[in-house]
Amino acid sequence: MEIRYSLPLKEHSLLELIETMTDEVPQLSQILDVYKGGNKPKLGKWSFYPIKDKEFMKETALDLLEINKRNDYKDYFIIAHDKEESYLGIFKKDGKLYCWCDWPEVEPQLMFENISELIAVYKMLPDYSSSNEQQSYLTEKLLQCEGLYYLFNPDIEYIAGNYSIEYFPQITFLYWDSEDKAKNYRKGNWDSFEIRYVERKEFIEMHIADFLDNDDYIGFNWKMDYEIDISPENFLNDF
């Protein structure tokens, strides 16, 4: 999945913005990686706010500086939105990327170490047309499983999952078709979680039911932190 641009961009406009904001957002220069091909970039679900351009006043009226004047999260510099209720911003203290939304109960969540990681992750993800094909393929594989392995922390009664980058603030809960795959994923961040097995009947009647109630998603055989999300509704329809 590549970055798309709606408008051309004068390089000096970008450099002026970075120079103006350097004291407030020391790591802002990383946005060069997003805007180097043009203005109003779009990557996956994220529409990046434009840089003000007098030749395109209407299209760039709500620019990076203007949206941040309205931002209630003053520790973050907003760079993008998903046209619904979620935002992507740079944490001013360390330059890491966080997501948050209009839901007051959802605090900003760390999603990427920097913009370079954001771009690298999306480059590995398919575009929407092939994403649908891949989701159908994964759903079909999932339907063939008699049971699934997952990571569970009994102390907090929580199944391992990540905030979805495409459906934030929904969570994608993770399952594998073999114990070895679950073990490989567990290394590192999930060492406190134990591996459990659930038969298909219980998975559908208990786990899927919970995901439907909360609009959450399924991740199947993930090797990395961000891969294809499977809709539980689509899974049940195919089932």
Side-chain angles (χ1 to χ4, degrees):
M1 195 178 293
E2 301 292 333
I3 303 174
R4 304 189 302 278
Y5 302 92
S6 301
L7 298 171
L9 176 66
K10 302 179 183 70
E11 184 178 354
H12 68 83
S13 300
L14 175 57
L15 296 177
E16 285 174 6
L17 170 69
I18 292 172
E19 184 177 348
T20 301
M21 297 299 298
T22 294
D23 289 341
E24 185 178 348
V25 192
Q27 300 85 1
L28 188 60
S29 60
Q30 63 179 299
I31 69 171
L32 282 165
D33 289 341
V34 175
Y35 290 85
K36 61 186 178 183
N39 207 355
K40 293 191 77 173
K42 184 173 176 61
L43 180 59
K45 70 179 285 183
W46 298 110
S47 296
F48 287 79
Y49 287 97
I51 292 165
K52 184 76 73 181
D53 189 330
K54 292 180 180 178
E55 293 184 24
F56 302 97
M57 286 299 293
K58 183 177 180 181
E59 295 90 338
T60 64
L62 187 58
D63 68 318
L64 278 168
L65 292 180
E66 181 61 32
I67 190 61
N68 278 284
K69 291 177 184 177
R70 309 178 188 184
N71 179 21
D72 293 331
Y73 290 89
K74 298 305 180 184
D75 289 334
Y76 301 85
F77 186 84
I78 298 177
I79 56 174
H81 63 98
D82 69 349
K83 296 187 175 181
E84 293 183 5
E85 56 188 9
S86 299
Y87 301 91
L88 183 67
I90 299 173
F91 188 41
K92 295 178 182 179
K93 294 180 179 178
D94 60 16
K96 296 180 180 181
L97 300 192
Y98 283 72
C99 289
W100 66 92
C101 67
D102 293 332
W103 300 5
E105 67 272 19
V106 179
E107 294 293 322
Q109 300 292 325
L110 174 63
M111 298 296 283
F112 304 99
E113 289 296 312
N114 48 47
I115 283 180
S116 295
E117 184 185 33
L118 166 72
I119 294 171
V121 165
Y122 270 98
K123 280 188 174 180
M124 291 185 292
L125 294 176
D127 60 29
Y128 287 110
S129 58
S130 57
S131 174
N132 290 335
E133 293 174 5
Q134 193 165 348
Q135 185 174 112
S136 297
Y137 168 77
L138 290 172
T139 301
E140 183 179 342
K141 295 286 287 184
L142 191 55
L143 285 166
Q144 296 172 2
C145 296
E146 293 299 322
L148 295 166
Y149 295 87
Y150 63 102
L151 305 180
F152 185 77
N153 188 320
D155 294 330
I156 57 176
E157 296 187 344
Y158 187 79
I159 296 173
N162 296 319
Y163 278 102
S164 169
I165 61 172
E166 283 298 300
Y167 304 105
F168 185 90
Q170 267 55 59
I171 296 174
T172 300
F173 291 98
L174 308 178
Y175 294 83
W176 295 267
D177 60 7
S178 79
E179 186 174 4
D180 285 341
K181 291 176 183 176
K183 282 181 179 177
N184 287 334
Y185 189 88
R186 184 177 62 173
K187 295 174 182 175
N189 293 337
W190 304 97
D191 288 338
S192 61
F193 285 65
E194 60 188 41
I195 297 175
R196 291 195 174 182
Y197 179 81
V198 58
E199 293 185 351
R200 181 169 60 183
K201 185 175 185 294
E202 182 182 348
F203 173 70
I204 293 170
E205 293 179 354
M206 302 291 291
H207 295 227
I208 292 287
D210 284 343
F211 302 155
L212 286 170
D213 287 343
N214 295 293
D215 294 326
D216 290 320
Y217 288 79
I218 307 163
F220 180 56
N221 281 346
W222 279 23
K223 298 177 182 177
M224 302 176 294
D225 286 340
Y226 306 107
E227 295 191 37
I228 297 294
D229 305 302
I230 298 174
S231 162
E233 186 174 1
N234 291 345
F235 173 83
L236 285 182
N237 289 339
D238 290 343
F239 180 77

